[in-house]
Amino acid sequence: MAMFRAGLQRLSNVFNGQGGILSRLITQNAPTTNVTAPNTTKDVIATCNKLIEERTSRNFAIVHLLGKQWRVTDGDLLVVEGYWPPNIGDKIKLDKVLLAATKDFSLIGRPLVQPGLVTVTATVISKGLSHTRTHFKKKRRKQFMRINFQRAQQTMLRINTVEIANKINEAPKNVF
Amino acid sequence: MVFLTVANWIRARGPDEFWRKRRIFRLAAHYTGRRRNCYSVAVRNVHRALAYATKARKLKKEDMKVLWDTRITAACEQHNITAFSLREGLGRADIMLDRKSLSDLAAWEPKTFHCLAAVAKEKLNLDNFIDGTDKKEPTGINLNLKDVMLEAWLKEKK
């Protein structure tokens, strides 16, 4: 706990009171007494918005893509397997963001973070096939042997940016 | 070879012996000793290796699942919450993170995981859910739920 406290010492200066709304829960020091609950919530949101504006650290997000969840950050390379229509050079916005966070706070979606808050952009950089996978079966003493070869389609994605917009807790616009 | 009768065609054993053996020897090229040089030994080993490789593709996925579970359990123990109640709490709160991303957070983003554990526990408290799983002696630090101010958020109906 001591280490944890030390890590968050700086944060505790930033935050007047402890707590969170849909953001990180600050659970370290004894809560300061002079801040009432509703104020604290607002303060936390305001502080998070300020932190976003300052862009103090790199963001990461967990996105849902082709039935899998990926933890991505700026400049990541993803290899997606299976049939997927986008072509080389396409710029894509990954909308299904389940969680986004920076060094100082996390945004947790239920199940998704509100649309427009977190923007994850990616570029398709290559499409191709995987290495050949050999599917080999053999039964002993039964004269049974099968061999097949398969290659899966692979799409390589470069994550360009993971950006958190400066409007936590604004009323969500229904984009979808 | 030209087969004028079907009977001969059935009897033919595929490609020429040299090429049939060469296919096997190429796969056995990195073996040592007789496994590499002697066909009758090489072919057994190559077949076994290919069968293992086929089965292992499935086993790898199962092994990863076990690894992720281990990581999640370990991180949960730090916060005195069972992995079961973590999943239950997150499920009830509509947080749909899977094993893979939870273990990722547990290993590399401990602060975020700490928050998720707190959310799960708070949600279970609000639901009056009692975790009936056998618990070990607590080894971690209890989550400080005083500062979790998510009552409205967790109670709101989706």
Side-chain angles (χ1 to χ4, degrees), chain B residues 1-10 12:
Chain B
M1 270 193 282
V2 181
F3 301 116
L4 297 175
T5 53
V6 178
N8 279 344
W9 195 56
I10 290 166

Side-chain angles (χ1 to χ4, degrees), chain B residues 64-113:
Chain B
M64 288 310 288
K65 206 170 130 183
V66 174
L67 174 65
W68 293 332
D69 277 338
T70 312
R71 287 185 174 167
I72 293 171
T73 315
C76 285
E77 271 173 25
Q78 264 188 329
H79 303 304
N80 277 357
I81 180 173
T82 57
F84 169 77
S85 54
L86 178 86
R87 293 212 61 140
E88 182 74 25
L90 292 184
R92 279 163 184 253
D94 288 335
I95 298 168
M96 297 294 168
L97 294 168
D98 60 9
R99 277 196 186 83
K100 181 181 162 211
S101 35
L102 277 179
S103 73
D104 233 26
L105 295 174
W108 309 113
E109 310 285 349
K111 289 191 205 165
T112 305
F113 190 85

Side-chain angles (χ1 to χ4, degrees), chain A residues 4 21 69 71 110 136, chain B residues 93 96 100-101 104 150 153:
Chain A
F4 192 72
I21 179 81
Q69 295 179 7
R71 185 180 56 124
R110 304 177 58 193
F136 180 83
Chain B
M96 297 294 168
K100 181 181 162 211
S101 35
D104 233 26
L150 297 173
W153 188 58

Side-chain angles (χ1 to χ4, degrees), chain A residues 4 18-21 24-27 31 60 62 69 71 103 106 108 110-111 134-136 138 145, chain B residues 47 54 57 93-98 100-101 104 108-109 111-112 114-115 144 147 149-150 153 158:
Chain A
F4 192 72
Q18 281 77 39
I21 179 81
R24 158 152 301 164
L25 321 154
I26 313 301
T27 48
F60 76 88
I62 292 183
Q69 295 179 7
R71 185 180 56 124
K103 201 176 68 190
S106 326
I108 301 165
R110 304 177 58 193
T134 316
H135 189 97
F136 180 83
K138 185 181 167 105
M145 197 161 86
Chain B
H47 282 174
T54 302
R57 278 204 295 278
D94 288 335
I95 298 168
M96 297 294 168
L97 294 168
D98 60 9
K100 181 181 162 211
S101 35
D104 233 26
W108 309 113
E109 310 285 349
K111 289 191 205 165
T112 305
H114 188 167
C115 301
N144 182 5
D147 301 332
M149 293 188 289
L150 297 173
W153 188 58
K158 282 270 165 179

